[in-house]
Amino acid sequence: MPDTSVAAVADALDYLCLAQLYLRDNPLLARPLTPADIKPRPAGHWGVCPPVNRMLAALGPLQTAVPDGYDLQVLHGAGHAGPSALAHAYLTGRLGTAHPDLSPGETGLRELISNFPRDDIGGEITPMIPGHLHTGGQLGPALAIGQGTVLDAPHRLSVVLIGDGECETGTTAASWLAARALHGTGDHGTVLPIILLNGLRMGGPSVLSALSRTELTAYFTGLGHRPVYSDGLDTGQLRQALAEALADARPLGIPGTSSVLVLTLDKGHGAPARLAGTPAVHKTPLRDPAGVPAEFDALAEWLTSYQPAQLLTPRGRPRPHLLPALPRPQPEPGELPAPRGCVAASAQIAVHAAGRPFAQVVPEVLRARAEQGPFRVFSPDELASNRLDLTDEHGRPAPWAVEVLSEELCHAWAQGYTETGRHALVATYEAFAPIALSLIQQQLKHRSVRRHAGLAPLPSLVYLLTSLGWHNTLTHQNPSLTTALLAGDDPTLHVLTPADPARTAAALTFALRKLGWCTIVVAGKHTAVQHPLATVDEELRHGIAIWPHLTHPGAGEPDLILASAGDLPAEALTTLARRLHTERPEIRLRYVHIHDLTALAEDGTRPLALAPDAFARHFGTRAPIILATGGHPADIHALLGRRHPGPRLTVLGYRDPGHPVSQEHLLRLCALDDAGLWTLATTLTGTPKETPDR
């Protein structure tokens, strides 16, 4: 293939990016440019586009040559490359497949350029642009996500475009070495990292750009990579460097040196000389070309330098000499089969697990899931601490379980794995899960956009939070992950708070079978109390159930309602319920267990939110309620919203003691000790009534 095709595609991408930022009419400069053709308020990002465009152009022939059964995936670490992704998807026709009004042609080109950034697509990389499995709005995880995509996928090559500013993030920095944790854990595909060493981040010079070539080589060599360099200006040399880097790239998990391609093209290449090397090139280098004559002249010269008529036909289609460097459209992956019988299968697991401790039943569930197909467990060096023994009879770790001391990497690996259609679990301490909060929220946003685009659901994002704060020191007490996620109103979020190990086994089975959910399972590894399983099916199906063995019979309003969410709350409140049955038998009790916190949400706001009649059936209309949760009481109040029962509801949960205390002291502080609960219950129900003389 001639290098001229690759160079022409790079020029076409550059032109389309610049046109999206600045033009509202005259998209191919068919007549002399006028101020009326220019957007009054240009918006978007130019700086990262030129190096990205050269890589997309150079990768095009490779993507075209990928044989059936193999996959080449490009991940953009810089979400600001939205104009590049849009331009590339337009030229290949993939954009028109998802958005018919953006098909290659005169109308599609005008729409692409004049209405950028469109409200329904945005100006950054999202799933609304076909072929993107990572929303790049947050810098840092792209390399780790790319590593996750090739785990157990020897047919896949993931090319990850990483900005030099992104290399300053902890997640990227950790990804280079942490890949060694994947040695010997399976047969994997290949990741080719490409560093866009353009010299600048948004506000100034990047740290990486301060290194000399010798220092840069030493840096990457020390990380176990052999750098291959290109300035991107010579198309032939860039293609040669890419071929060399690919030849030296090793599949993930294979010991030895693998390659990294370093593209040293200046940020914002092509911008007017007076702006080159300044932070002005990050967004729109010329701020007001419609109103400032000097800027107008500079923009006109800049646009015409690409000779768009030589790149695109008058109808807005790529000219024939571009086609060899444009990849053929790839078919979208097929839909995963919808899971069936989730409740029945999970309830059966609970029955099988009854009476056995966490340390037996939870590893058993994970081993069983690993036997059913592609599955991975990721944990930040906490499997043994969390009593998740996944070793074989010789003490060797399961090849599908990976530990590395970084919550961010565990999440990013799981994200890459699940976004390519496989199931995964992240198991970590409750207190340290919030480290990955921003990554979780970004993935939820990505999936929300996928749903909006009508794309098929993927395997659920599943977290197991154990080593709860109730049994840990002050530094290990932090249940705020669920607080933050519940505040986000994502309809796919489910926070499961099983009452005992059997229910935890059922909850994990259920969560790992579902598609399209984000499920947080909160379960203590120390739980010993077991509860009758008569309502497990109802808890799994509806997220809540009245426990009949602790509830007085009859349909009338009770005197007191006890509601637990979690294993420690269930242990505390069932102890209280039994004492009340014995010492205050005249008090009519109703006992409710909340298996999924989202069942408490306002009607219509979440899939499992109780309808008004069901809410009244569980929580009455007049009786005082004691609700105990393992998390922050504020979570419950926020979920209830406008249907909050008001003063008749008392919510008990974790309160930060502010200094180290014993576990018994923490329970007393949170009023979840036996004495505190008894005092509260008897106060709410009043003094015992005198038995009348007969």
Side-chain angles (χ1 to χ4, degrees):
M1 177 185 298
D3 293 332
T4 54
S5 295
V6 174
V9 168
D11 284 345
L13 292 171
D14 278 357
Y15 176 78
L16 289 176
C17 289
L18 196 62
Q20 287 177 83
L21 299 182
Y22 284 106
L23 295 184
R24 64 177 179 180
D25 199 3
N26 197 10
L28 286 177
L29 306 183
R31 52 178 172 75
L33 191 70
T34 69
D37 296 329
I38 300 172
K39 294 172 180 174
R41 293 183 178 178
H45 295 79
W46 167 255
V48 74
C49 291
V52 167
N53 292 342
R54 274 145 189 79
M55 289 315 311
L56 292 177
L59 288 166
L62 293 175
Q63 291 175 291
T64 299
V66 170
D68 292 339
Y70 287 81
D71 178 25
L72 192 160
Q73 177 74 50
V74 180
L75 283 86
H76 291 257
H80 292 159
S84 294
L86 283 164
H88 194 252
Y90 171 82
L91 291 178
T92 63
R94 293 194 72 179
L95 191 61
T97 302
H99 307 279
D101 60 334
L102 292 172
S103 298
E106 187 175 357
T107 302
L109 179 64
R110 185 176 297 277
E111 174 64 24
L112 172 72
I113 288 174
S114 63
N115 286 325
F116 175 87
R118 276 176 39 161
D119 291 340
D120 61 335
I121 298 178
E124 299 189 358
I125 292 175
T126 75
M128 300 301 290
I129 307 173
H132 293 275
L133 53 77
H134 164 233
T135 296
Q138 179 178 28
L139 298 180
L143 179 55
I145 292 173
Q147 292 165 345
T149 66
V150 304
L151 284 174
D152 308 319
H155 63 286
R156 180 171 294 127
L157 167 65
S158 283
V159 178
V160 187
L161 307 181
I162 308 168
D164 50 357
E166 189 173 10
C167 288
E168 298 174 17
T169 66
T171 309
T172 299
S175 300
W176 300 109
L177 283 175
R180 296 169 183 261
L182 303 170
H183 290 174
T185 66
D187 189 12
H188 311 312
T190 302
V191 175
L192 175 62
I194 297 179
I195 305 299
L196 308 178
L197 186 57
N198 55 45
L200 293 170
R201 36 182 161 76
M202 182 165 60
S206 66
V207 173
L208 206 62
S209 66
L211 300 182
S212 67
R213 178 66 60 88
T214 300
E215 291 172 323
L216 200 62
T217 299
Y219 171 71
F220 283 115
T221 302
L223 293 173
H225 291 264
R226 187 180 80 84
V228 179
Y229 295 96
S230 174
D231 62 13
L233 297 176
D234 182 330
T235 302
Q237 192 277 330
L238 174 59
R239 295 185 65 194
Q240 181 180 350
L242 179 59
E244 182 182 344
L246 283 170
D248 286 348
R250 290 174 176 264
L252 194 66
I254 301 297
T257 301
S258 191
S259 54
V260 55
L261 178 59
V262 182
L263 181 63
T264 58
L265 188 70
D266 290 342
K267 186 167 186 173
H269 175 77
R274 64 183 177 83
L275 299 173
T278 72
V281 300
H282 180 73
K283 292 186 177 180
T284 50
L286 301 170
R287 298 299 178 87
D288 184 19
V292 178
E295 290 194 358
F296 172 82
D297 293 342
L299 178 62
E301 181 180 357
W302 190 3
L303 287 165
T304 55
S305 70
Y306 291 105
Q307 297 182 296
Q310 303 300 313
L311 304 170
L312 302 171
T313 69
R315 297 187 60 82
R317 297 179 179 275
R319 289 196 178 274
H321 67 289
L322 275 69
L323 299 180
L326 289 174
R328 64 180 185 270
Q330 299 292 319
E332 294 293 335
E335 293 188 17
L336 297 173
R340 298 183 181 276
C342 295
V343 171
S346 303
Q348 185 177 5
I349 290 295
V351 173
H352 178 69
R356 293 191 290 146
F358 178 100
Q360 287 184 14
V361 299
V362 173
E364 192 174 275
V365 165
L366 301 182
R367 293 177 190 279
R369 181 60 190 82
E371 293 174 357
Q372 296 169 11
F375 174 64
R376 284 271 169 177
V377 173
F378 302 98
S379 179
D381 194 31
E382 291 161 356
L383 290 177
S385 175
N386 281 330
R387 301 190 180 181
L388 299 173
D389 182 1
L390 302 180
T391 58
D392 62 17
E393 64 272 18
H394 303 292
R396 295 173 300 204
W400 42 268
V402 179
E403 293 190 271
V404 63
L405 197 51
S406 169
E407 280 76 10
E408 296 98 324
L409 288 184
C410 288
H411 176 90
W413 285 343
Q415 180 171 341
Y417 204 76
T418 55
E419 294 296 319
T420 46
R422 287 83 56 79
H423 293 262
L425 168 75
V426 178
T428 185
Y429 276 32
E430 177 191 51
F432 303 137
I435 294 172
L437 173 61
S438 183
L439 292 173
I440 297 171
Q441 292 171 324
Q442 287 291 332
Q443 188 177 3
L444 290 180
K445 288 179 182 292
H446 179 84
R447 291 196 166 193
S448 176
V449 177
R450 280 184 55 91
R451 293 194 302 274
H452 182 74
L455 300 177
L458 293 168
S460 297
L461 166 62
V462 184
Y463 265 72
L464 171 61
L465 306 187
T466 186
S467 291
L468 307 183
W470 299 101
H471 301 102
N472 259 314
T473 60
L474 179 66
T475 57
H476 290 39
Q477 297 171 10
N478 183 8
S480 63
L481 178 71
T482 54
T483 302
L485 292 178
L486 286 167
D489 292 330
D490 189 292
T492 68
L493 176 67
H494 295 266
V495 179
L496 304 189
T497 52
D500 54 34
R503 286 172 166 84
T504 298
L508 281 172
T509 302
F510 189 78
L512 291 170
R513 290 174 65 100
K514 301 296 287 185
L515 298 178
W517 285 21
C518 171
T519 307
I520 313 297
V521 181
V522 186
K525 63 187 178 184
H526 297 289
T527 308
V529 175
Q530 307 282 340
H531 305 279
L533 296 174
T535 60
V536 163
D537 185 283
E538 186 178 355
E539 291 169 39
L540 290 166
R541 193 179 303 277
H542 301 295
I544 193 169
I546 297 172
W547 282 1
H549 67 287
L550 294 175
T551 297
H552 283 79
E557 184 84 2
D559 299 315
L560 180 65
I561 298 169
L562 302 180
S564 56
D567 43 31
L568 181 138
E571 180 178 354
L573 288 190
T574 55
T575 299
L576 172 64
R578 291 189 179 94
R579 184 178 176 187
L580 287 169
H581 277 294
T582 300
E583 300 184 26
R584 296 288 301 275
E586 78 283 0
I587 297 177
R588 293 178 54 80
L589 284 182
R590 180 182 299 162
Y591 193 101
V592 177
H593 183 71
I594 305 157
H595 182 77
D596 186 336
L597 287 183
T598 67
L600 300 178
E602 288 188 60
D603 183 30
T605 61
R606 296 181 188 270
L608 289 187
L610 295 174
D613 58 339
F615 187 84
R617 187 167 62 252
H618 286 85
F619 295 105
T621 57
R622 300 184 306 276
I625 305 166
I626 300 175
L627 193 158
T629 176
H632 293 296
D635 300 354
I636 306 300
H637 294 297
L639 278 167
L640 291 168
R642 286 172 294 183
R643 69 172 176 194
H644 194 289
R648 68 187 185 95
L649 172 65
T650 302
V651 181
L652 306 175
Y654 175 76
R655 292 175 56 196
D656 192 319
H659 56 87
V661 297
S662 67
Q663 296 170 19
E664 293 77 12
H665 188 154
L666 181 61
L667 286 173
R668 289 196 302 273
L669 175 70
C670 301
L672 281 170
D673 61 309
D674 291 345
L677 285 171
W678 178 258
T679 299
L680 175 61
T682 53
T683 299
L684 290 173
T685 54
T687 57
K689 297 178 181 178
E690 295 285 342
T691 302
D693 293 334
R694 293 189 179 273

